[in-house]
Amino acid sequence: MKSREMKHYVEIARQVALAGGAEALKYFRSKSLIVESKSLTKFDPVTLADKRTEEVMRSAILANFPEDGIIGEEHENISGTSGISWVIDPIDGTRSFVAGAPTWGILVAVHDGNGPFAGVIYQPFIEELFFGGFGSAYYEFKGKREKIFTKKCKKLSDAILFSTFPEIGTMEEYRKFQIINKKVKQTRYGFDCYAYALLAMGAIDIVMEAGLESYDIQGPQALIESSGGVVSSWSGNNPQYGGTLLACGSKNIHDDILLLLNRS
């Protein structure tokens, strides 16, 4: 892919996230928002905001790249003919969205068949945009843009770890998570995709998650890798298609955690 085409994909991914954010804000903190559950056995919320936001994002993608595929959380996948696919999550953190907490976000990734090469995380309520691709990542706030890099923490005992739920994953995944949890300096919960953005900009050191889908992972994965971080599954494989995720600002911390997880 030529440099000009690379930059164009990153810019359109940014614009797709902005369009999605504008739509999602129409529903955020609305007293009339109706919340449904996708599951009969547990609370797995979905709202009209999720569905409408994804529709707006899909329209923005197809207006620029009509031959590309689209994989999203709320609507049927589009195969495409170009070999490029967009992987989108219109509202990552719907539980936070319906509770009025601004830790949810718009996720966009562009995938070339091998892996995601461009990624965006956008939190529209506080107007923070994080995007990157091809080894460069940026933070944009109120019209100002700066390049961002992950923090190179040297010791696990100095690291800050974020995860969405204290009761992470399966019982076995919870057991393994606690091994790492007991070795870090601080652990915080409940930040959804915003945690990945904090990692990409060098504010925290580790994000660990489990039970993810491709649309949860690929946008943050491309962003973090573009800002100098390392992303894998808990076994060290590429996490792009779902499951567990270990994202670290520095390779040595990532290596230390993998060693502990695989010894346990």
Side-chain angles (χ1 to χ4, degrees), residues 108-227:
V108 181
V110 193
H111 193 287
D112 65 1
N114 296 310
F117 62 81
V120 185
I121 299 174
Y122 180 39
Q123 211 310 306
F125 186 74
I126 55 178
E127 300 181 49
E128 288 191 309
L129 179 69
F130 305 80
F131 66 99
F134 306 102
S136 296
Y138 301 90
Y139 169 63
E140 199 171 280
F141 181 64
K142 294 188 181 296
K144 295 183 179 180
R145 182 183 298 184
E146 63 181 82
K147 201 164 186 179
I148 55 174
F149 305 90
T150 58
K151 186 170 60 169
K152 303 306 178 187
C153 183
K154 294 181 180 179
K155 295 191 298 181
L156 195 53
S157 58
D158 291 332
I160 299 172
L161 165 66
F162 274 40
S163 189
T164 301
F165 304 110
E167 62 277 16
I168 186 171
T170 64
M171 290 299 295
E172 176 62 11
E173 287 163 347
Y174 175 81
R175 183 188 70 79
K176 289 194 170 190
F177 175 80
Q178 290 305 321
I179 294 169
I180 311 306
N181 188 29
K182 291 174 183 177
K183 292 186 177 294
V184 298
K185 180 170 69 174
Q186 180 185 179
T187 302
R188 303 292 292 168
Y189 298 101
F191 283 75
D192 303 302
C193 65
Y194 194 67
Y196 301 121
L198 293 175
L199 178 64
M201 74 184 308
I204 68 172
D205 306 291
I206 308 161
V207 177
M208 288 185 71
E209 299 286 6
L212 301 182
E213 301 292 339
S214 59
Y215 45 74
D216 299 313
I217 291 175
Q218 292 192 22
Q221 179 182 359
L223 173 68
I224 291 166
E225 289 175 346
S226 294
S227 63

Side-chain angles (χ1 to χ4, degrees), residues 175-176 179-180 233-237 246 254-264:
R175 183 188 70 79
K176 289 194 170 190
I179 294 169
I180 311 306
S233 69
W234 292 10
S235 59
N237 297 318
L246 170 64
H254 184 267
D255 290 345
D256 289 346
I257 293 173
L258 284 183
L259 189 61
L260 288 166
L261 290 174
N262 292 316
R263 278 180 176 173
S264 64

